[in-house]
């Protein structure tokens, strides 16, 4: 002991001992925490456990030959999406000739706008991406043959024009944000710059950009404008820019709106000095080239608006009941949200969202009201060519009677479309249904069918089937999608008695000339759908609505102020409750840990109720089922002994984006915003996009040995553009549920054909980002609005698209969190619609998102790293039954996905620890070895010194 004291009385050994002790404590602590509490969190960015043992075979056919080929194909497809999704809004004629396309002689142009030097390619969050090397707008125009004004290009890319727009806010914020457009003030334009216009005056292209992203909504008060303007109209610098450019000697002036939501464009449309306007949205990584093609005429625009572009957004029925974002000081927002910690949003406009409001009120109030309030109707878009339409089978359909005998049939309307212009192009035929007023609230017309033509050629260029000048579109009409939800009594979908009219339209407002409506009659007491199945389940969500908009009293029922309800003790108790609302009581104790030789791959293609699933489920242990439910953060868990591989999942609606997805996700296509996809109105094209993403998924992570496919995709986003200020509108298709649902169904079918599981989102009524997870934004709405608008796109995606994955949302419907609501996840989703697949929650980081409430409601997969269900009881028949049901749904979904590629009954699966964990162990060993070598050197030196004395 005296030798030990003597050695460690020296400075060197003491320093070594202290450093070694502290370092080892840190190393052990970091390693233990990284391998336990923080394991799931670290796996998200750095990679997870890898399943090995699979072969190279695939159960799903793909088109691409490899990951690089899939990437190249996807980028080319995205260019096509933008070519069809950019919308020509205005194209003035001068001397009988439209401004666009520009001729080959009109090629010296000046591009204006600070944001022209860095356009908005997409949003942030789950739709975010990296665009450091993306094609610039300038490159797009130069490749299209235009010569750009170099003085302006240099000016906007440099600092003399200002710092530019505000970066996208962080995902989580308090909802009160300020966004600068970053437009350059006119005082910054020098005489030299202004003088350069003369040599590049064939056209002026003015770029106006607006951002969007997850976690925030767009501000309804423009900074520095003293409340006079909002973010979706021109700010002062932009207005000054337009005034300066329209006052200069440019032959043509074109405005490009780089914004993935509608814009307050009355001043652009009504300004006769502005010749053309194009809505370009967010083009993704490689889509901006479409703009050059539209300007030079090599592309004929065929996009149509997916929202109604109102003249004054402050007159919209949603204006008073949306977000906060500096519209007020926030002190009284949603009745003392600051005090109670709860935030409310009232859908007082009920079913009158977008064109359902403007077209209906326009019909009631007259043409003058409509012209004053609408700039561009829903479904509007110009072309460079002309088309004639003719209903091919009108006589077959006239005087049709719909009753109980044929209410579940679909009827075909055939429309012959002929190109009568002088350029090739595509057209969209839209079918709307108008119902009798009746007793149930109804809009004047609803979209109930649409189709897009292939390229049709002018008659002089037509060449049989290779270059046709006409085609016959077959538009299916399902009477169910024209039905109204009658919340009186027990509720249900009905067609009230009376005469209905089907009209084909160029947009929601414009009935095509020379095409008489197709009428049908519903007689007797009307027709009911899903009697006793679709019933009132959310009537409590309408409790306390101060008013509900009605066409019977537009002014008297118009929303006038935000929610002012009292935060009563009863309401607060409901909001705080974590109790599930699953009415089942008598669960039987499931069998566990029963030996089996059955493998998951044997269940491929078999229905969810096949007895073989019970054999697999009986073999699972409590811990295995618990792990399947809890470990759902961008993955599903493996169970090797039954051949269940681990899977990789990723955001988001614009393709596999590198957002919290781990190192497995790389070199993937960043597509145009879903807003642009929606504007294509092309189900076939969006289906091909689903296939292309599925091809990428099939090759997945080729770096891993063996490769790891991407099996889950958190997409598409199918909430609605309830308000143009929705920060996440870029991730959603449209204001209309039918258009959104049909495009989503096409995308899902395409992805599913490649074995990719699509978790469509966010289910449901997640149409506002502000305060979305502040104890769960409470969404108050009528059952009719919930059913006809906000659930409908999900319903279509399930019934028509065969969706096998769905993601719930942060918000509540009334007081109940959507992810923990049995009515939504079991009674509606599975009971009414017949959904078969996996329900995952949105990222579970908040206390109100209770895992037990979730699984008892019908949720299957807990997307979390910090909020697992920690206390299920192996002795509880209820807990085990819920875990077993979730395990069945997860295994069913994985068994029918590309995760089974290369796996057969004889495959023996194993797992390897994550690469980062292996590296951590190596680092630990190096540190311990280094400390050991240091200690050996110090101690030997000290002992020698002592021995010499």
């Amino acid at each position: 002991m005296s030798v030990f004291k003597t050695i460690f009385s020296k400075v060197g050994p003491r320093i070594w001992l202290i450093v070694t002790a502290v370092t080892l404590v840190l190393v052990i602590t970091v390693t233990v925490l990284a391998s336990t509490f923080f394991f799931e969190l670290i796996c998200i960015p750095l990679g997870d456990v890898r399943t090995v043992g699979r072969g190279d075979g695939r159960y799903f056919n793909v088109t691409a030959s490899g990951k690089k080929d899939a990437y190249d194909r996807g980028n080319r497809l995205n260019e096509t999406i933008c070519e069809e999704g950019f919308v020509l809004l205005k194209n003035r004629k001068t001397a009988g000739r439209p401004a666009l396309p520009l001729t080959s002689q009109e090629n010296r142009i000046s591009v204006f706008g600070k944001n022209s030097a860095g356009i908005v390619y997409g949003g942030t969050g789950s739709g975010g991406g990296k665009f450091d090397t993306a094609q610039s707008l300038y490159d797009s125009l130069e490749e299209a043959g235009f010569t750009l004004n170099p003085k302006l290009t240099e000016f906007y890319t440099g600092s003399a024009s200002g710092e530019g727009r505000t970066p996208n806010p962080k995902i989580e914020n308090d909802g009160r944000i300020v966004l600068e457009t970053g437009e350059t003030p006119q005082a910054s334009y020098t005489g030299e710059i202004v003088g350069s216009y003369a040599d590049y005056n064939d056209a002026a292209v003015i770029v106006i950009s607006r951002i969007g992203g997850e976690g925030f909504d767009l501000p309804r008060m423009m900074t520095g404008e003293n409340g006079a303007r909002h973010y979706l109209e021109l700010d002062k610098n932009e207005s000054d820019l337009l005034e300066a450019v329209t006052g200069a000697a440019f032959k043509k002036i074109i405005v490009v709106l780089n914004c993935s939501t509608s814009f307050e464009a009355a001043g652009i449309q009504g300004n006769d000095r502005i010749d053309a306007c194009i809505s370009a949205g967010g083009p993704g990584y490689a889509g901006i080239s479409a703009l050059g093609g539209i300007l030079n005429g090599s592309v004929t625009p065929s996009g149509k608006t997916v929202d109604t572009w109102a003249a004054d957004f402050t007159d919209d029925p949603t204006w008073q009941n949306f977000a906060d974002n500096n519209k007020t000081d926030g002190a009284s927002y949603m009745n003392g949200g600051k005090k109670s910690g709860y935030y409310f949003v009232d859908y007082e406009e009920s079913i009158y969202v977008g064109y359902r409001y403007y077209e209906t009120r326009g019909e009631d109030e007259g043409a003058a009201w409509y012209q004053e309030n609408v700039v561009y109707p829903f479904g509007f878009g110009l072309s460079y060519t002309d088309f004639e339409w003719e209903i091919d089978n009108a006589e077959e359909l006239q005087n049709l009677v719909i009753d109980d005998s044929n209410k579940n049939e679909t009827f075909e309307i055939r429309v012959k479309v002929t190109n009568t212009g002088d350029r090739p192009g595509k057209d969209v035929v839209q079918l709307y249904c108008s119902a009798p007023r009746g007793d149930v609230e109804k809009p004047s017309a609803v979209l109930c069918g649409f189709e897009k033509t292939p390229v049709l050629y002018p008659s002089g260029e037509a060449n049989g089937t290779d270059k046709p000048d006409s085609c016959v579109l077959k538009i299916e009409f399902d009477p169910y999608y024209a039905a109204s939800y009658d919340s009186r009594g027990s509720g249900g979908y009905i067609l009230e008695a009376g005469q209905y009219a089907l009209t084909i339209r160029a947009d929601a407002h414009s009935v095509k000339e020379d095409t008489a409506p197709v009428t049908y009659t519903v007689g007797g007491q009307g027709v009911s759908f899903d009697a006793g199945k679709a019933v009132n389940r959310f009537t409590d969500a309408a409790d306390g609505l101060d008013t509900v908009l009605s066409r019977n009293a537009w002014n008297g029922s118009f929303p006038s102020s935000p929610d002012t309800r009292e935060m009563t003790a009863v309401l607060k108790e409901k909001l705080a409750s974590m109790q599930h609302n699953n009415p089942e009581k008598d669960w039987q104790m499931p069998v566990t840990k029963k030996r089996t030789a059955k493998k998951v791959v044997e269940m491929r293609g078999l229905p969810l109720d096949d007895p073989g699933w019970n054999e697999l489920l009986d073999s699972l242990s409590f811990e295995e089922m618990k792990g399947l439910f809890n470990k759902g953060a961008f993955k599903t868990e493996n169970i090797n002994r039954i051949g269940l591989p681990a899977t990789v999942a990723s955001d988001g609606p614009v393709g596999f984006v590198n957002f919290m997805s781990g190192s497995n996700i790389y070199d993937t296509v960043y597509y145009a915003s879903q807003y642009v996809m929606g504007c294509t109105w092309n189900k076939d094209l969006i289906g091909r996009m689903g296939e292309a993403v599925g091809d990428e998924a099939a090759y997945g992570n080729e770096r891993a040995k063996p490769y790891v496919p991407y099996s889950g995709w958190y997409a598409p986003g199918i909430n609605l553009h309830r308000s143009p200020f929705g920060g996440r509108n870029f991730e959603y298709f449209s204001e209309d549920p039918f258009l959104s649902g049909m495009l989503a169904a096409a995308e899902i079918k395409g992805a599913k054909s490649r074995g990719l599981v699509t978790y469509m989102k966010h289910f449901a009524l997640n149409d506002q980002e502000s305060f979305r997870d502040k104890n769960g934004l409470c969404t108050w709405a009528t059952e009719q609005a919930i059913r006809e608008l906000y659930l409908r796109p999900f319903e279509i995606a399930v019934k028509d698209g065969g969706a096998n994955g769905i993601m719930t949302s942060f918000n509540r419907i009334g007081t109940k969190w959507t992810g923990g609501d049995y009515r939504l996840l079991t009674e509606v989703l599975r009971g009414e619609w017949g959904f078969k697949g996996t329900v995952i929650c949105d990222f579970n980081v908040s206390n109100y998102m209770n895992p037990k409430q979730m699984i008892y409601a019908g949720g299957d997969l807990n997307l979390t790293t910090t909020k697992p269900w920690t206390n299920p009881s192996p002795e509880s028949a209820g807990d085990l039954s819920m875990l077993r049901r979730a395990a069945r749904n997860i295994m069913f979904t994985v068994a029918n996905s590309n995760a089974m590629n290369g796996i057969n009954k004889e495959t023996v699966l194993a797992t390897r620890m994550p690469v980062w964990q292996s590296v951590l162990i190596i680092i630990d060993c190096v540190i311990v070895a280094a400390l050991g070598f240091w200690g050996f050197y110090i101690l030997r030196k000290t002992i020698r010194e002592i021995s010499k004395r």
Side-chain angles (χ1 to χ4, degrees):
M1 182 64 68
S2 59
V3 174
F4 183 82
K5 285 184 177 181
T6 301
I7 292 173
F8 285 98
S9 66
K10 305 297 181 180
V11 174
R14 286 164 62 189
I15 292 175
W16 171 81
L17 182 61
I18 294 170
V19 170
T20 297
V22 171
T23 302
L24 288 177
V25 168
L26 287 174
V27 165
I28 293 170
T29 301
V30 168
T31 302
V32 170
L33 289 176
S35 300
T36 54
F37 186 77
F38 292 111
F39 181 80
E40 300 294 330
L41 183 62
I42 297 171
C43 282
I44 292 175
L46 298 182
D48 206 340
V49 170
R50 295 164 292 159
T51 299
V52 297
R54 73 170 77 243
D56 293 325
R58 289 190 172 88
Y59 293 108
F60 301 91
N61 293 325
V62 297
T63 303
S65 60
K67 188 176 180 73
K68 177 65 165 56
D69 186 41
Y71 179 78
D72 292 340
R73 286 170 177 265
N75 276 322
R76 289 195 297 271
L77 181 65
N78 186 53
E79 292 179 29
T80 304
I81 289 171
C82 291
E83 288 172 355
E84 294 198 28
F86 289 2
V87 183
L88 181 61
L89 296 170
K90 180 179 182 178
N91 197 14
R92 284 183 69 242
K93 288 186 177 181
T94 304
R97 182 183 179 280
L100 293 178
L102 299 173
T103 68
S104 58
Q105 288 75 40
E106 296 171 324
N107 61 0
R108 296 178 68 82
I109 65 176
S110 293
V111 180
F112 288 89
K114 177 63 178 177
N115 289 304
S116 67
I119 62 169
V120 177
Y121 291 94
T124 54
S126 71
K130 298 177 181 178
F131 304 106
D132 298 341
T133 59
Q135 184 184 40
S136 73
L137 180 142
Y138 299 147
D139 290 340
S140 162
L141 298 180
E142 288 177 341
E143 288 179 8
F146 296 105
T147 302
L148 309 188
N149 183 337
K151 292 291 184 184
L152 277 174
T153 302
E154 181 182 357
F155 175 59
Y156 289 127
T157 53
S159 60
S161 53
E163 296 181 358
R165 64 177 176 267
T166 307
N168 284 47
K170 295 179 180 179
I171 286 183
E172 303 306 337
N173 57 80
D174 66 1
R176 303 182 64 207
I177 61 170
V178 173
L179 298 177
E180 303 269 6
T181 70
E183 193 51 77
T184 306
Q186 285 301 297
S188 298
Y189 289 79
T190 65
E192 182 183 10
I193 292 173
V194 174
S196 70
Y197 301 168
D199 291 332
Y200 299 88
N201 70 343
D202 286 334
V205 176
I206 305 169
V207 178
I208 306 294
S209 298
R210 294 293 185 270
I211 63 173
E214 181 178 0
F216 68 93
D217 290 305
L218 307 183
R220 295 182 295 161
M221 180 182 288
M222 186 80 77
T223 180
E225 299 278 354
N226 297 318
R229 309 190 202 202
H230 54 69
Y231 185 64
L232 291 179
E233 61 184 312
L234 299 173
D235 73 358
K236 183 178 185 306
N237 288 338
E238 291 169 333
S239 296
D240 290 346
L241 175 62
L242 260 66
E243 186 66 25
V245 174
T246 55
F250 289 99
K251 297 174 185 176
K252 294 178 179 178
I253 296 173
I254 304 152
V255 173
V256 175
L257 296 174
N258 172 218
C259 174
S260 287
T261 187
S262 54
F263 193 82
E264 200 168 286
I268 295 172
Q269 175 65 17
N271 188 336
D272 287 341
R273 293 178 294 176
I274 296 174
D275 298 289
C277 181
I278 298 170
S279 170
Y285 186 83
I288 193 59
S289 61
L291 179 62
I294 290 173
L295 292 180
N296 71 15
S298 60
V299 173
T300 297
S302 61
K304 306 292 181 181
T305 57
V306 292
D307 303 306
T308 304
W309 290 46
D312 185 346
F313 288 178
T314 68
D315 288 338
D316 189 83
T318 64
W319 173 260
Q320 295 291 349
N321 290 296
F322 187 80
D324 179 17
N325 291 347
N326 285 351
K327 180 178 179 290
T328 68
D329 62 5
S332 61
Y333 176 69
M334 302 313 178
N335 188 45
K338 306 293 182 184
K339 299 176 184 178
S340 65
Y342 294 100
Y343 294 83
F344 305 155
V345 58
D346 289 1
Y347 286 29
E348 291 185 328
E349 71 283 352
S350 188
I351 62 171
Y352 294 109
V353 172
Y355 76 88
R356 283 168 162 77
Y357 168 68
Y358 290 101
E359 298 301 327
T360 307
R361 188 160 187 179
E363 180 177 286
D364 294 348
E365 303 274 4
W369 183 94
Y370 188 87
Q371 293 300 321
E372 182 181 344
N373 284 275
V374 177
V375 179
Y376 303 120
F378 170 80
F380 173 83
L382 303 175
S383 176
Y384 291 160
T385 191
D386 299 306
F387 299 93
E388 285 185 356
W389 296 358
E390 178 186 358
I391 299 179
D392 226 21
N393 62 332
E395 292 182 0
E396 298 174 19
L397 298 169
Q398 290 295 1
N399 304 317
L400 177 69
V401 175
I402 293 180
D403 54 27
D404 285 336
S405 68
N406 63 356
K407 65 183 180 182
N408 294 317
E409 296 179 18
T410 57
F411 303 91
E412 186 178 273
I413 291 88
R414 296 194 298 271
V415 181
K416 183 178 181 181
V417 182
T418 303
N419 186 341
T420 58
D422 57 6
R423 287 178 175 272
K426 295 185 176 186
D427 202 12
V428 176
V429 176
Q430 303 168 38
L431 181 70
Y432 291 81
C433 181
S434 298
R437 287 285 290 263
D439 296 324
V440 179
E441 199 79 36
K442 299 182 191 71
S444 61
V446 295
L447 180 71
C448 57
F450 65 94
E451 292 293 338
K452 193 166 192 174
T453 70
V455 175
L456 300 179
Y457 294 83
S459 57
E461 297 180 25
N463 180 21
T465 57
D466 293 334
K467 290 187 174 183
D469 64 352
S470 67
C471 71
V472 175
L473 294 180
K474 298 177 181 179
I475 304 176
E476 285 193 351
F477 167 64
D478 184 342
Y480 174 71
Y481 291 130
S484 303
Y485 188 83
D486 182 6
S487 59
R488 299 171 302 174
S490 61
Y493 291 97
I494 65 168
L495 291 173
E496 290 193 276
Q499 191 173 72
Y500 292 70
L502 297 175
T503 52
I504 59 171
R505 306 188 183 191
D507 55 59
H509 190 67
S510 306
V511 178
K512 198 70 171 177
E513 296 178 5
D514 303 324
T515 58
V518 172
T519 60
Y520 66 92
T521 301
V522 176
Q525 300 300 308
V527 170
S528 298
F529 294 87
D530 293 330
K533 191 174 183 181
V535 297
N536 291 339
R537 305 189 194 277
F538 306 100
T539 53
D540 60 308
D543 290 348
L545 287 179
D546 293 333
T547 188
V548 175
L549 186 58
S550 169
R551 70 183 298 186
N552 295 319
W554 289 117
N555 291 325
S557 62
F558 200 83
S560 59
S561 63
D563 189 290
T564 57
R565 80 190 63 206
E566 292 292 329
M567 178 57 76
T568 64
V570 172
L571 178 56
K572 196 164 187 178
E573 181 180 357
K574 288 182 178 179
L575 290 167
S577 174
M578 298 293 178
Q579 292 298 311
H580 65 76
N581 56 349
N582 186 328
E584 298 178 50
K585 301 295 181 185
D586 300 323
W587 288 288
Q588 301 298 313
M589 183 64 76
V591 175
T592 59
K593 297 194 288 187
K594 184 177 180 181
R595 297 187 64 178
T596 182
K598 185 175 283 294
K599 296 293 183 69
V600 171
V601 71
E602 298 176 66
M603 301 303 296
R604 284 189 68 254
L606 297 179
L608 191 57
D609 58 358
D610 187 279
W613 290 112
N614 290 328
E615 184 177 342
L616 282 170
L617 291 163
D618 289 348
S619 76
L620 300 183
S621 70
F622 169 73
E623 290 298 331
E624 285 172 333
M625 290 187 287
K626 180 180 171 184
L628 277 178
F629 171 71
N630 275 327
K631 297 178 180 180
F634 301 95
K635 67 174 187 177
T636 59
E637 187 78 340
N638 63 293
I639 303 177
N640 292 336
R641 62 179 182 78
I642 58 171
L644 183 70
T647 71
V648 173
S650 173
D651 270 325
V654 292
F656 295 120
V657 298
N658 293 315
F659 172 72
M660 300 184 71
S661 300
S663 57
N664 287 328
I665 309 297
Y666 63 93
D667 293 347
T668 53
V669 178
Y670 189 99
Y671 284 89
S673 63
Q674 278 200 192
Y675 169 85
V676 175
M677 295 183 207
C679 289
T680 68
W681 285 66
N682 190 333
K683 289 177 281 189
D684 176 68
L685 182 60
I686 302 309
R688 286 163 53 200
M689 182 263 188
E691 293 172 351
V693 176
D695 279 2
E696 291 188 273
Y699 291 102
N701 181 5
E702 286 187 330
R703 297 169 183 163
K705 303 299 180 186
Y707 79 102
V708 177
Y710 307 151
S711 300
W713 183 28
Y714 299 164
I718 50 176
N719 295 107
L720 299 187
H721 299 173
R722 173 178 174 252
S723 164
F725 294 92
R728 225 162 166 179
N729 282 358
F730 78 100
E731 283 196 42
Y732 307 136
F733 289 116
S734 171
E735 70 181 27
D736 180 68
F738 185 82
L739 176 62
S740 299
M742 286 299 178
L743 293 177
E747 184 176 318
I748 288 167
K749 281 189 282 191
K752 192 176 178 182
S753 72
R754 303 310 202 246
L756 177 59
V757 179
T758 52
Y759 293 92
M760 55 182 176
K761 58 183 187 180
H762 306 85
F763 192 51
L765 284 80
N766 185 175
D767 313 290
Q768 172 179 308
E769 290 297 287
S770 300
F771 312 110
R772 62 178 186 166
D773 64 341
K774 304 296 185 184
N775 276 323
L777 177 70
C778 301
T779 309
W780 306 95
T782 65
E783 180 108 17
Q784 184 182 9
I786 292 171
R787 294 285 192 160
E788 289 186 22
L789 299 186
Y790 302 103
L791 297 187
R792 179 55 54 83
F794 294 96
E795 179 183 6
I796 293 172
V798 170
K799 292 180 175 179
D800 287 41
N804 55 358
I806 194 167
M807 178 185 286
T808 59
S809 50
F810 283 119
N811 62 292
R812 304 169 187 252
I813 298 178
T815 60
K816 184 67 73 173
W817 170 46
T818 61
D821 194 340
Y822 181 86
R823 301 170 301 176
L824 186 67
L825 305 189
T826 300
E827 293 178 343
V828 172
L829 179 63
R830 291 193 165 97
E832 293 183 23
W833 302 345
F835 173 79
K836 302 290 191 298
T838 298
V839 177
I840 189 172
C841 66
D842 207 339
F843 212 108
N844 189 346
V845 294
S846 302
N847 289 332
Y848 73 91
M849 299 169 74
N850 183 271
K852 181 174 182 178
Q853 186 185 62
M854 170 189 164
I855 199 168
Y856 271 81
D860 304 307
L861 199 55
N862 192 10
L863 200 171
T864 191
T865 59
T866 58
K867 295 281 293 178
W869 187 16
T870 57
N871 59 349
S873 171
E875 308 302 321
S876 166
D879 287 1
L880 274 176
S881 295
M882 294 301 99
L883 287 169
R884 180 184 174 97
R885 188 219 69 241
R888 178 196 294 260
N889 291 331
I890 293 169
M891 289 196 299
F892 171 81
T893 306
V894 173
N896 292 286
S897 76
N898 65 18
M900 304 310 295
N901 285 345
I903 295 175
N904 56 43
K905 186 178 180 181
E906 285 71 41
T907 302
V908 177
L909 297 181
T911 51
R912 292 176 184 165
M913 67 175 60
V915 173
W916 67 264
Q917 196 172 32
S918 300
V919 172
L920 179 62
I921 292 172
I922 292 171
I923 292 172
D924 289 348
C925 293
V926 169
I927 291 172
V928 171
L931 290 172
F933 281 121
W934 180 27
F936 175 77
Y937 173 78
I938 290 293
L939 294 177
R940 186 179 67 173
K941 179 181 177 182
T942 303
I943 291 172
R944 285 177 176 176
E945 290 175 352
I946 293 172
S947 64
K948 289 179 181 180
R949 296 178 181 177

